[in-house]
């Protein structure tokens, strides 16, 4: 674990990017279910997303920041509720918008990875039953079909669904404030939603493979470093099975599986997760535990067999940028060590390029770049240049 980090730590061609989600950054996604819920008079969502960080208009600046720092890859989201704001009504202006982002990325030397679903749904789709509606898969495929001009503009990689395992617990979390409280572990994902997520993913992969064979296809699963107490291996396995393993196994046949890791949980024989001893906590209350990424990719590799891994999210919520660099250094060293031991990892995307709306809260700062919430002025933190400088040769 004694690696000095440099641009040669990871092999040439290793993906090196930042990640951001559509709803958390764009602002004013007024046709989405989250927007609707944020504006209910008795909304359980503590702070509204509102203008977010106005990336819908400021995306060229965002791309400039990422490319200027040396990153080679750019993960961003497409918002279904903008593409299809009403049932069956496709917005060509919105398609054009996302096509321009893809082209803008390519022009700046950034390889685009796009996320098709990241927690938010068009309100019309949610109102008619959401993912549990009988024709949910077909409706999603309709949206996917409409994206052809965007996907053909230079997209290299698609993430069908961001954290399907979190999507499958969202109804349980919605009664609180929408947070994913990883400190106490996750509720058990809803079984019906788990099945739908897998069905949507498999159908989308099949459709995209036929229509856009150049794309690399996969999804990103929220996987934390669950560590079994001595003798609690079976309990840990039972804990992980419905929460992430079932989703990881459903990656079979994909071009990659996205791994999204932030922290660890210690699992005791009764199957309950807890924080480590005397934990240093981050702004989200999660244990500051950089090597979680290493433990996670090792566990994921055992489950997915020969499907290559890409770290599609990893980062830390902190107002102290030196803590971010410390976290990421530890995470990258642990990642490299796992690769030395044979884990097939093809890339790393840091969450997040910019401070953004954290599902009900503006407090947690995950960004390599700070954003003023009124002027939207972007101010790079030292971690941006530092992490960008580690980009492996293309
Ligand atoms: C999600 C992001 C979120 C991040 C930090 C992931 O669960 O994909 O939307 O902001 O973790 O909580």
């Amino acid at each position: 674990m004694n690696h000095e980090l440099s641009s040669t730590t990871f092999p040439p061609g290793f993906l090196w990017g930042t990640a951001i989600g559509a709803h958390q950054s764009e602002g004013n996604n007024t046709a989405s279910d989250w927007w609707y819920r944020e504006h209910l008079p008795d909304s359980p969502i503590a702070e509204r997303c509102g203008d977010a960080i106005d990336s819908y208009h400021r995306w060229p600046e965002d791309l400039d920041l990422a490319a200027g720092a040396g990153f080679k890859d750019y993960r961003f989201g497409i918002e279904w509720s903008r593409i299809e704001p009403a049932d069956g009504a496709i917005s060509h202006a919105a398609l054009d918008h996302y096509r321009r982002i893809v082209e803008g990325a390519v022009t700046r030397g950034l390889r685009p990875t796009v996320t098709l679903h990241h927690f938010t749904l068009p309100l019309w789709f949610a109102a008619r039953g959401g993912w549990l509606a009988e024709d949910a898969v077909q409706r999603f495929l309709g949206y996917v079909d409409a994206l052809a001009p965007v996907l053909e503009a230079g997209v290299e990689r698609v993430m069908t669904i961001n954290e399907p395992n979190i999507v499958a617990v969202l109804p349980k979390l919605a009664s609180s404030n929408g947070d994913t409280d990883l400190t106490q572990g996750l509720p058990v994902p809803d079984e019906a939603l788990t099945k739908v997520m897998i069905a949507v993913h498999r159908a989308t992969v099949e459709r995209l493979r036929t229509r856009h064979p150049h794309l690399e296809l996969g999804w990103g699963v929220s996987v934390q470093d669950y560590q079994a107490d001595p003798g609690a291996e079976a309990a840990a396995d039972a804990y992980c099975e419905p929460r992430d393993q079932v989703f990881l196994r459903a990656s079979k046949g994909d071009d990659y599986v996205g791994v999204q890791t932030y922290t660890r949980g210690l699992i005791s024989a009764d199957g309950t997760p807890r924080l480590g001893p005397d934990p240093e906590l981050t702004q989200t209350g999660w244990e500051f535990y950089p090597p979680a990424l290493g433990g996670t990719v090792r566990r994921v590799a055992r489950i997915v067999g020969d499907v290559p891994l890409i770290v599609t999210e990893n980062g830390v919520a902190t107002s102290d940028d030196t803590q971010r660099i410390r976290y990421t250094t530890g995470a990258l060293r642990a990642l490299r060590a796992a690769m030395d031991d044979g884990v097939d990892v093809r890339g790393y995307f840091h969450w997040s390029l910019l401070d953004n709306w954290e599902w009900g809260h503006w407090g947690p700062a995950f960004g390599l770049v700070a954003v003023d919430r009124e002027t939207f002025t972007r101010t790079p933190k030292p971690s941006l240049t530092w992490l960008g400088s580690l980009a492996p040769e293309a």
Side-chain angles (χ1 to χ4, degrees):
M1 299 261 283
N2 234 349
H3 298 286
E4 279 311 314
L5 297 176
S6 73
S7 60
T8 57
T9 300
F10 295 97
F14 192 81
L15 311 177
W16 202 252
T18 61
I20 193 95
H23 187 67
Q24 292 171 274
S25 64
E26 291 181 344
N28 300 297
N29 279 323
T30 56
S32 76
D33 60 339
W34 275 77
W35 178 272
Y36 173 78
R37 286 198 293 116
E38 284 156 32
H39 289 82
L40 289 174
D42 55 350
S43 176
I45 297 170
E47 293 183 287
R48 290 175 180 166
C49 182
D51 284 324
I53 50 170
D54 196 28
S55 288
Y56 197 78
H57 301 107
R58 289 165 201 263
W59 60 266
E61 205 182 328
D62 298 348
L63 291 176
D64 284 344
L65 284 163
F71 287 98
K72 308 277 192 235
D73 294 274
Y74 192 77
R75 179 186 157 209
F76 72 101
I78 298 179
E79 176 67 27
W80 182 5
S81 70
R82 286 189 185 268
I83 299 291
E84 192 175 3
D87 191 353
I90 298 296
S91 163
H92 295 282
L95 286 171
D96 228 40
H97 166 81
Y98 291 109
R99 183 185 51 72
R100 285 195 300 271
I101 301 182
V102 171
E103 290 172 356
V106 173
T107 306
R108 290 166 177 82
L110 293 166
R111 298 170 293 218
T113 292
V114 300
T115 311
L116 305 187
H117 173 69
H118 195 142
F119 301 166
T120 44
L121 292 170
L123 185 56
W124 63 263
F125 179 83
R128 59 197 285 293
W131 290 121
L132 295 177
E134 251 176 41
D135 58 352
V137 177
Q138 289 315 314
R139 290 306 175 111
F140 189 74
L141 289 179
Y143 154 62
V144 172
D145 290 348
L147 293 178
V150 181
L151 301 177
E152 287 298 324
V155 172
E156 298 208 357
R157 188 169 302 93
V158 165
M159 176 184 290
T160 59
I161 301 173
N162 177 81
E163 301 188 342
N165 48 339
I166 302 297
V167 177
V169 293
L170 280 181
K172 291 188 186 171
L173 298 170
S175 55
S176 56
N177 62 6
D179 286 340
T180 52
D181 183 357
L182 299 175
T183 59
Q184 306 304 320
L186 276 183
V188 180
D190 179 87
E191 228 176 287
L193 279 173
T194 298
K195 286 196 182 125
V196 178
M197 287 295 96
I198 294 173
V200 171
H201 175 59
R202 297 271 36 111
T204 305
V205 167
E206 199 184 309
R207 180 67 62 100
L208 290 175
R209 263 211 212 302
T210 320
R211 302 207 172 172
H212 310 281
H214 74 281
L215 292 173
E216 270 187 41
L217 304 169
W219 62 357
V221 184
S222 168
V223 204
Q224 309 312 317
D225 184 14
Y226 291 116
Q227 301 174 1
D229 285 349
E233 288 74 15
D237 193 57
Y239 182 84
C240 293
E241 179 54 29
R243 289 174 175 85
D244 57 43
Q245 289 178 184
V246 64
F247 296 91
L248 293 168
R249 272 200 305 275
S251 306
K252 199 172 159 33
D254 290 354
D255 299 310
Y256 74 93
V257 58
V259 177
Q260 316 207 150
T261 302
Y262 291 90
T263 188
R264 71 167 169 179
L266 306 181
I267 311 269
S268 51
D270 68 1
T272 45
R274 64 179 194 284
L275 299 173
D278 293 327
E280 176 182 353
L281 298 181
T282 69
Q283 285 178 328
T284 39
W286 306 342
E287 183 180 351
F288 178 88
Y289 185 73
L293 187 56
T296 299
V297 295
R298 289 169 196 267
R299 179 162 71 86
V300 171
R302 287 196 293 272
I303 298 164
V304 300
D306 59 3
V307 182
L309 278 55
I310 298 176
V311 179
T312 41
E313 280 184 28
N314 174 247
V316 61
T318 177
S319 58
D320 172 2
D321 202 47
T322 62
Q323 192 190 26
R324 186 179 337 280
I325 293 177
R326 196 155 54 90
Y327 177 89
T328 311
T329 299
L332 293 175
R333 283 188 178 148
L335 182 66
R336 181 64 248 194
M339 291 167 66
D340 289 344
D341 289 341
V343 178
D344 183 5
V345 185
R346 305 283 173 90
Y348 176 88
F349 287 77
H350 192 81
W351 184 275
S352 181
L353 176 63
L354 304 121
D355 287 344
N356 62 84
W357 186 70
E358 177 61 19
W359 304 110
H361 301 279
W362 279 103
F366 278 97
L368 302 168
V369 176
V371 182
D372 182 293
R373 294 249 339 271
E374 279 176 20
T375 63
F376 305 109
T377 304
R378 273 91 166 119
T379 308
K381 305 176 190 178
S383 53
L384 177 75
T385 322
W386 169 76
L387 192 56
S389 76
L390 301 180
E393 278 165 38

